[in-house]
Amino acid sequence: MAGPQPLIKHKIVKKRQKRFIRHQSDRFMRVSESWRRPRGIDGVVRRGWRSTRLMPSIGYGTNKQFKHVLPNGFRKVRVFNVDDLEKLMMQNKHFCAEIARTVSVVKRKAIVQRAKELSIKVTNPTAKLTTEENE
């Protein structure tokens, strides 16, 4: 058995790959590239004229059904201890566990072991374990 599989596997649809760049950020060093909405009364970008920069809008948003879904088909839930895995027991076809970065190595091993018993996918089962064993 290869491990838990998601109930629904979907194709990721990206409506836009490039980032939205701030108007006139290419002309002035003082204007950073990070997006700011143009608010001027005569702004051509705000008015949506041809051959100007595109503005972010709700139409670029992700389908609500597939929002926050990882490429492996699961939604991610952060886990701090073994008891948190019990909440995912009945939802193991929809959610996968991600062990929080503050969890110690001893607890990590217990969480990974329990997740295997409950057939819950863990996104980072080997994190911190390899570095601790090498030292």
Side-chain angles (χ1 to χ4, degrees), residues 32-49:
S32 65
E33 283 193 355
S34 61
W35 175 255
R36 299 289 186 276
R37 180 174 167 74
R39 292 190 169 83
I41 56 171
D42 294 327
V44 291
V45 174
R46 183 191 59 78
R47 292 160 73 181
W49 286 16

Side-chain angles (χ1 to χ4, degrees), residues 83-101:
D83 295 334
D84 290 345
L85 285 175
E86 306 297 329
K87 299 170 189 169
L88 297 176
M89 185 170 27
M90 300 300 289
Q91 300 290 330
N92 62 352
K93 297 279 188 196
H94 299 284
F95 294 95
C96 65
E98 181 187 54
I99 304 172
R101 60 183 287 273

Side-chain angles (χ1 to χ4, degrees), residues 46-118:
R46 183 191 59 78
R47 292 160 73 181
W49 286 16
R50 285 181 302 182
S51 70
T52 57
R53 294 203 185 275
L54 294 173
M55 289 201 337
S57 64
I58 198 66
Y60 291 107
T62 306
N63 187 345
K64 188 189 275 188
Q65 185 180 4
F66 301 122
K67 200 166 190 130
H68 305 297
V69 175
L70 299 175
N72 62 10
F74 291 102
R75 284 187 167 85
K76 183 168 59 174
V77 175
R78 207 158 25 146
V79 172
F80 291 91
N81 52 41
V82 178
D83 295 334
D84 290 345
L85 285 175
E86 306 297 329
K87 299 170 189 169
L88 297 176
M89 185 170 27
M90 300 300 289
Q91 300 290 330
N92 62 352
K93 297 279 188 196
H94 299 284
F95 294 95
C96 65
E98 181 187 54
I99 304 172
R101 60 183 287 273
T102 57
V103 177
S104 67
V105 175
V106 177
K107 273 192 183 178
R108 274 176 194 273
K109 289 180 181 174
I111 289 171
V112 171
Q113 180 64 34
R114 184 67 177 144
K116 193 173 280 186
E117 293 168 8
L118 296 174

Side-chain angles (χ1 to χ4, degrees), residues 5-21:
Q5 296 296 317
L7 196 62
I8 300 169
K9 186 80 170 173
H10 75 285
K11 187 173 183 231
I12 296 173
V13 177
K14 297 280 188 183
K15 296 180 186 173
R16 182 177 165 90
Q17 293 282 2
K18 293 194 288 186
R19 296 179 57 127
F20 290 99
I21 297 174

